Amino acid sequence: MTWELKNMRPGYGEALKELGKRYSQVVALNADLSGSTQMAQFGNDFPERFFNVGIAEQNMMGISAGLATTGKIVFASTFAMFATGRAYDQIRQSIAYPKLNVKIVATHAGITVGGDGASHQMHEDLALMRVIPHMTVIAPADYYETKSVIMKIAETPGPFYVRLGRTDTPVIYDEDHEFKIGVADTLKDGDDVTIIAMGLMVSKALEAAKVLKREDISTRVINMSSIKPIDKNSIIKAARDTGAIVTAEEHNMIVGMGSAVAEVLADSSPVPQSRVGIPNVFGESGESEELMEAYGLKVDHLVEKAKYTVSMKR
Amino acid sequence: MLLAFDRNDYWSDLESSVSTLTPITVEARKWIVKMIHAARSGHPGGSLSTVEVLTALYYEVMRHDPGNPTWSDRDRFVLSKGHGAPALYTTLAMCGYFETEELMTLRQLGSRLQGHPSMNKTPGVDMSTGSLGQGLSIAIGMALGARLDRKDYRVYCMLGDGEIQEGQIWEAAMAAAHYKVDNLCAILDRNQLQIDGPTENIMSLSPIYSKFKAFGWHVIEVNGHDLKEILMAFKEASRIHGKPTIIIANTVKGKGISFMEGSLKFHGKAPSDEELEQALEELGGDVR
């Protein structure tokens, strides 16, 4: 399959700029990565409301929290590694516990950061953010969904974590797509197995469904961009309708989206589940596609896991 | 009746302000030891060292309204050293944010008075704190918020001296000077002790004055138990333009109660029944 590729990050940059025009309360903070995170457009248009705090992520989260107490809608951006790793306690104590209106939009998440290697490849961010009370966690699937997510969260009070990647990502949606918090999107119906995917794994799930069809396996594909709150009804329905679940994420398999799905299944509707994701290891340097192959995130891996999961059905 | 506190013109009659505030500090100390005794845990030492500064702020310096705790034009206070919560709660209760009787619920299940401040639970608490080193960044955010909204409120932030060993404090110190937030005034409760011992033995902080000076702050050093010096320092801070101010308040941990003064034991330990009795006796009897 050939996909139109479009980077998610400009979707963020453009939406943030639009929000700046629409709402005077929107402010933006960055820690010396305003170009890479695409916040620079906002900074150029609204210099008074843009604060580049330098390489000081902990301070950025704190200042964000302080601004939020004064009624601002605060966007804070840096790489996922430094946002959630370096400033974890600041997010927990100063943003989530007091339930302040800070939107942490982190870029360069996942193994596809590529050449920078393990120090910059963040596979644990969803785990870290998901376990914090009050935190809503979202991983958009493409450029258009990113835009919709950013507009939606600006209008929804409370702390948010949004995860974006570095690479160009296949386009799944168009301008009309409307993201809803806590609602999964069923992209393709099917009866034998369901692949629940997020981020750049969504296009791979759609491709895997085509391959599986050739082998007479009918596959449902769900985009689970709202990781928390998670759409329990869609998961339970998929379990009941198809009896087998495969999850696909560019994230550590521990406590990521696949685990969130497993929690729902365990509580409500246990069926065989397999997880496709990064094992609990550090990454390494390489080209994005090479790394996807090396760490088991390609279409073939999904197909194999789907067949295995179907075979486990009683 | 709830009273709105305006920024008083105490400058014109400092002596009279000091004589009004002094008995309030005595009552505050009584409540602090009583509530920590009732809770059977808490931090008396670092609460008692802050009493004069908090009393000066809430009774004379800050503009605030106990009847309207979220008033958007109020001056803000961030207790970055969150373990000093008993002193903050006492001051808020005495000002009228809630009944002083509620102080006796400190740290109990279901109480609005958490072990460390929680802004969503306690009226008058402007920020949730407890994990050290974070308050100064918050205060900068609040000060920038005032600037963006063209409001004239001021932001006060109290730091513990051990607390400034946290790296985030220095990220914030750099940023406050960079953004020239002259509506921000930090107070350092320089009581010389942290849990494991004297700050200068654990990880030396000196010279604090020249460190903040080098970071671009206006620095004032006072006796943190001398109300006159404290009030004069806050007045001076309000007249500084283009840079943040820090008041280094030299204090005594456990101030006001002989056996707690300078005592490491009372950093984080509640007084026993006998110790409470003795403390109240030294302070002139039970609360009025």
Side-chain angles (χ1 to χ4, degrees):
Chain A
M1 274 174 90
T2 48
W3 295 92
E4 184 199 343
L5 297 175
K6 216 165 154 64
N7 203 293
M8 292 183 192
R9 288 178 283 133
Y12 171 42
E14 288 156 26
L16 186 61
K17 191 172 139 174
E18 175 58 30
L19 285 168
K21 269 188 248 171
R22 222 180 269 188
Y23 305 110
S24 64
Q25 313 95 289
V26 170
V27 300
L29 288 89
N30 207 283
D32 199 36
L33 287 167
S34 59
S36 305
T37 59
Q38 298 279 329
M39 200 176 244
Q41 302 182 51
F42 180 95
N44 288 335
D45 285 15
F46 310 100
E48 211 189 41
R49 289 189 264 149
F50 172 65
F51 303 95
N52 191 337
V53 303
I55 307 164
E57 294 79 13
Q58 304 170 56
N59 192 37
M60 175 175 75
M61 295 304 176
I63 296 178
S64 296
L67 278 159
T69 68
T70 72
K72 302 296 171 209
I73 302 166
V74 186
F75 281 81
S77 284
T78 178
F79 289 178
M81 178 61 239
F82 313 123
T84 64
R86 186 58 167 258
Y88 182 80
D89 186 27
Q90 286 72 19
I91 294 174
R92 182 185 182 277
Q93 164 76 47
S94 294
I95 294 174
Y97 178 44
K99 216 174 181 177
L100 292 170
N101 201 13
V102 178
K103 320 301 182 190
I104 300 156
V105 181
T107 68
H108 295 65
I111 197 143
T112 51
V113 158
D116 280 345
S119 63
H120 285 55
Q121 287 162 330
M122 187 43 155
H123 312 152
E124 306 104 65
D125 55 329
L126 295 177
L128 291 169
M129 293 297 104
R130 198 161 85 71
V131 295
I132 302 180
H134 296 162
M135 185 63 79
T136 299
V137 180
I138 297 161
D142 75 351
Y143 165 87
Y144 292 106
E145 187 162 57
T146 300
K147 272 186 126 168
S148 178
V149 163
I150 298 303
M151 301 308 283
K152 176 65 77 182
I153 67 172
E155 289 156 5
T156 314
F160 279 75
Y161 177 70
V162 178
R163 171 191 228 241
L164 306 179
R166 179 189 70 87
T167 55
D168 292 343
T169 310
V171 170
I172 310 288
Y173 295 112
D174 59 25
E175 285 286 356
D176 298 330
H177 175 61
E178 195 195 336
F179 165 80
K180 294 190 185 76
I181 296 165
V183 180
D185 189 16
T186 302
L187 295 169
K188 184 191 163 303
D189 209 355
D191 305 319
D192 301 325
V193 62
T194 302
I195 303 178
I196 300 176
M198 63 163 227
L200 52 71
M201 294 306 287
V202 174
S203 63
K204 305 231 182 282
L206 289 166
E207 287 185 48
K210 290 210 164 167
V211 177
L212 289 161
K213 193 181 171 198
R214 279 182 234 136
E215 304 190 28
D216 276 337
I217 296 173
S218 160
T219 309
R220 182 177 298 185
V221 177
I222 292 176
N223 170 23
M224 191 60 77
S225 39
S226 183
I227 313 286
K228 184 187 166 197
I230 201 157
D231 186 344
K232 289 182 187 169
N233 292 336
S234 285
I235 296 169
I236 294 166
K237 187 166 185 307
R240 287 185 184 151
D241 293 352
T242 68
I245 305 282
V246 177
T247 52
E249 60 193 313
E250 187 202 0
H251 184 273
N252 192 320
M253 280 197 275
I254 300 179
V255 205
M257 183 272 282
S259 299
V261 170
E263 288 160 18
V264 175
L265 293 176
D267 284 348
S268 312
S269 190
V271 295
Q273 179 192 355
S274 295
R275 288 172 295 148
V276 170
I278 300 169
N280 189 24
V281 295
F282 287 106
E284 62 188 301
S285 294
E287 292 296 330
S288 299
E289 286 300 316
E290 288 172 355
L291 289 162
M292 297 282 280
E293 175 72 43
Y295 289 82
L297 300 173
K298 299 287 270 190
V299 175
D300 296 351
H301 301 112
L302 272 172
V303 169
E304 192 189 313
K305 285 279 188 187
K307 286 201 268 189
Y308 170 71
T309 316
V310 169
S311 76
M312 294 210 310
K313 283 206 264 186
R314 291 207 182 96
Chain B
M1 187 200 71
L2 293 169
L3 171 79
F5 291 81
D6 204 347
R7 293 173 189 154
N8 285 350
D9 186 20
Y10 52 78
W11 192 250
S12 57
D13 194 356
L14 265 178
E15 299 302 336
S16 138
S17 290
V18 169
S19 54
T20 314
L21 296 187
T22 303
I24 296 171
T25 63
V26 177
E27 283 304 292
R29 288 199 157 87
K30 294 177 188 173
W31 278 113
I32 290 169
V33 288
K34 271 173 75 87
M35 72 194 287
I36 296 175
H37 170 262
R40 294 198 297 271
S41 72
H43 298 81
S47 297
L48 291 164
S49 60
T50 66
V51 168
E52 279 76 16
V53 169
L54 283 171
T55 304
L57 277 170
Y58 277 88
Y59 281 86
E60 294 281 347
V61 178
M62 281 166 55
R63 179 174 71 199
H64 64 112
D65 181 2
N68 186 8
T70 58
W71 180 32
S72 62
D73 288 321
R74 74 192 185 283
D75 291 335
R76 269 74 167 169
F77 177 74
V78 179
L79 183 65
S80 192
K81 49 168 287 186
H83 55 285
L88 175 60
Y89 295 155
T90 296
T91 309
L92 291 172
M94 288 173 67
C95 283
Y97 281 89
F98 46 89
E99 297 295 325
T100 45
E101 283 67 34
E102 193 173 340
L103 293 171
M104 303 307 278
T105 70
L106 174 72
R107 290 179 170 234
Q108 286 175 15
L109 183 63
S111 170
R112 295 197 295 179
L113 307 182
Q114 296 292 296
H116 294 82
S118 173
M119 64 184 284
N120 291 328
K121 289 190 192 274
T122 314
V125 170
D126 288 325
M127 184 63 199
S128 306
T129 51
S131 178
L132 293 175
Q134 302 193 24
L136 194 56
S137 305
I138 308 297
I140 294 171
M142 291 172 171
L144 290 172
R147 179 183 293 174
L148 287 172
D149 291 336
R150 316 258 188 279
K151 285 181 180 288
D152 71 345
Y153 63 78
R154 293 179 58 76
V155 183
Y156 297 90
C157 175
M158 181 176 276
L159 304 166
D161 54 356
E163 180 183 17
I164 67 171
Q165 290 161 352
E166 290 280 6
Q168 189 185 348
I169 291 294
W170 300 99
E171 293 182 3
M174 205 184 300
H178 180 83
Y179 293 127
K180 301 181 169 58
V181 276
D182 51 17
N183 53 345
L184 168 65
C185 177
I187 306 100
L188 182 74
D189 180 30
R190 180 66 170 127
N191 63 32
Q192 305 273 352
L193 290 177
Q194 58 190 111
I195 301 184
D196 276 354
T199 58
E200 299 314 288
N201 293 356
I202 304 293
M203 182 48 64
S204 51
L205 305 170
S206 298
I208 298 174
Y209 187 99
S210 42
K211 278 179 180 142
F212 275 95
K213 209 65 178 171
F215 271 72
W217 288 58
H218 181 69
V219 190
I220 308 170
E221 198 159 357
V222 300
N223 173 345
H225 300 302
D226 184 321
L227 285 162
K228 191 170 166 184
E229 283 189 28
I230 293 167
L231 289 169
M232 285 168 68
F234 279 125
K235 183 58 80 180
E236 182 179 326
S238 72
R239 291 171 174 165
I240 298 298
H241 295 292
K243 54 167 85 170
T245 295
I246 184 163
I247 298 170
I248 300 171
N250 290 306
T251 58
V252 174
K253 205 153 184 165
K255 175 72 178 177
I257 293 155
S258 62
F259 58 91
M260 291 189 180
E261 286 193 1
S263 157
L264 265 185
K265 179 182 157 195
F266 286 102
H267 170 91
K269 187 187 164 295
S272 66
D273 295 349
E274 296 75 34
E275 285 163 341
L276 173 69
E277 202 176 324
Q278 192 191 333
L280 289 175
E281 197 180 301
E282 287 184 21
L283 293 165
D286 205 344
V287 290
R288 272 185 254 135

